[in-house]
Amino acid sequence: MSITRPKFRLVDVDDLDSEQGETAEDDLIGTIIAGRYTIEAHLGGGGMADVYRARDEELGIDVAVKMLRPEMATGEMRARVIQEARAAAQVRHPNLVRVFGTGKTAYSAYIAMELLDGPNLEAYLRERPGERLPWNEALELLLPALEAMHAVHERGYVHRDIKPGNIIVAREPGCPPRAVVIDLGLAKPDRALRDAAGPPTTEAGRVLCTPGYASPEQASQLPVDRRSDVYSMAITLYRVLAGR
């Protein structure tokens, strides 16, 4: 008996708005989000969201605010932002970005999180000869990040988008580089943690992932668990060691 698989298209999470045009990131500079976070500068972003440096007026510290782009702010995507914040907030680990707050605005949703000083792993590697690290340096840098992923898994979540772009190499004075896992935007709770308020399952025929780092089962639209993250981290380690 033959099995007919559904047709699907692979969607790179950095290219979801390829037909939407560009958003004027500077429009938010100077505005106050949730009566608390004063937006000061645009730091970067991708297809779904922009990241800004902001001043937390209540705590008196600088934070990073991830803001969902208005053209992407469907009910599902706004729910995913809230889920990302909840997933990260439930795990305490020095190699996982800290979350301070989250919420929805009239046209978007946001996460206020730890402001990290340093490039992502991909940019960090471009600064090194051959765009790679010696094996001992690579393991020293990435093993703590793997432990952070284990902590995420123990809380019942799967990240689903591990790649060099989602690992920040934080540079703190007097300390060695620290790999910090960020962006749990595609994090998926196990069935025991799901509730009616959570985002729905990704629509049939659409696979959210990063080609090249996604596990075969994720790219094939099959069920995923923590082993998919381990696969993606292994590909990331290969990139770090081989330079490609």
Side-chain angles (χ1 to χ4, degrees):
M1 178 179 178
S2 62
I3 299 177
T4 302
R5 291 185 178 276
K7 294 182 178 179
F8 65 90
R9 62 189 181 95
L10 199 64
V11 180
D12 189 327
V13 295
D14 290 327
D15 294 325
L16 283 177
D17 69 337
S18 58
E19 299 177 358
Q20 298 290 336
E22 295 185 358
T23 301
E25 295 89 352
D26 292 340
D27 288 350
L28 285 179
I29 305 301
T31 62
I32 300 176
I33 304 299
R36 175 173 180 174
Y37 306 107
T38 301
I39 303 299
E40 296 181 341
H42 180 255
L43 299 178
M48 293 189 291
D50 288 295
V51 180
Y52 298 87
R53 187 184 73 244
R55 186 70 177 176
D56 185 335
E57 303 296 349
E58 291 188 12
L59 295 180
I61 61 173
D62 290 331
V63 298
V65 172
K66 178 179 178 179
M67 181 72 65
L68 187 65
R69 290 190 171 199
E71 65 269 23
M72 297 299 298
T74 63
E76 174 188 348
M77 297 309 297
R78 294 172 78 188
R80 285 190 183 278
V81 169
I82 301 301
Q83 177 174 288
E84 173 183 355
R86 288 176 176 173
Q90 289 181 31
V91 183
R92 299 294 179 88
H93 195 281
N95 297 89
L96 183 71
V97 66
R98 290 182 296 163
V99 167
F100 302 130
T102 186
K104 297 178 182 179
T105 65
Y107 304 103
S108 184
Y110 71 90
I111 304 174
M113 66 190 85
E114 176 183 11
L115 181 63
L116 297 166
D117 183 14
N120 64 36
L121 180 57
E122 187 66 41
Y124 181 76
L125 291 172
R126 294 196 190 109
E127 301 172 357
R128 305 301 295 265
E131 297 192 5
R132 59 185 182 180
L133 299 178
W135 69 267
N136 55 340
E137 187 177 341
L139 292 181
E140 183 178 0
L141 179 66
L142 288 182
L143 280 178
L146 192 59
E147 293 171 356
M149 285 312 311
H150 177 69
V152 171
H153 295 157
E154 289 298 286
R155 292 295 297 181
Y157 287 92
V158 183
H159 189 289
R160 297 202 299 169
D161 197 26
I162 292 293
K163 58 183 178 181
N166 281 341
I167 298 175
I168 296 294
V169 182
R171 292 165 167 166
E172 298 155 343
C175 300
R178 175 170 61 101
V180 181
V181 177
I182 64 169
D183 202 348
L184 276 75
L186 298 186
K188 180 179 181 180
D190 64 23
R191 296 180 184 277
L193 293 177
R194 294 181 193 173
D195 55 40
T201 302
T202 303
E203 65 185 72
R206 190 174 71 161
V207 182
L208 296 178
C209 62
T210 298
Y213 290 93
S215 66
E217 64 271 18
Q218 185 178 4
S220 298
Q221 212 175 15
L222 298 173
V224 301
D225 56 31
R226 65 179 63 189
R227 292 171 294 183
S228 296
D229 283 346
V230 174
Y231 178 95
S232 298
M233 186 65 85
I235 298 299
T236 298
L237 181 59
Y238 181 92
R239 163 71 184 91
V240 172
L241 294 173
R244 64 182 190 277

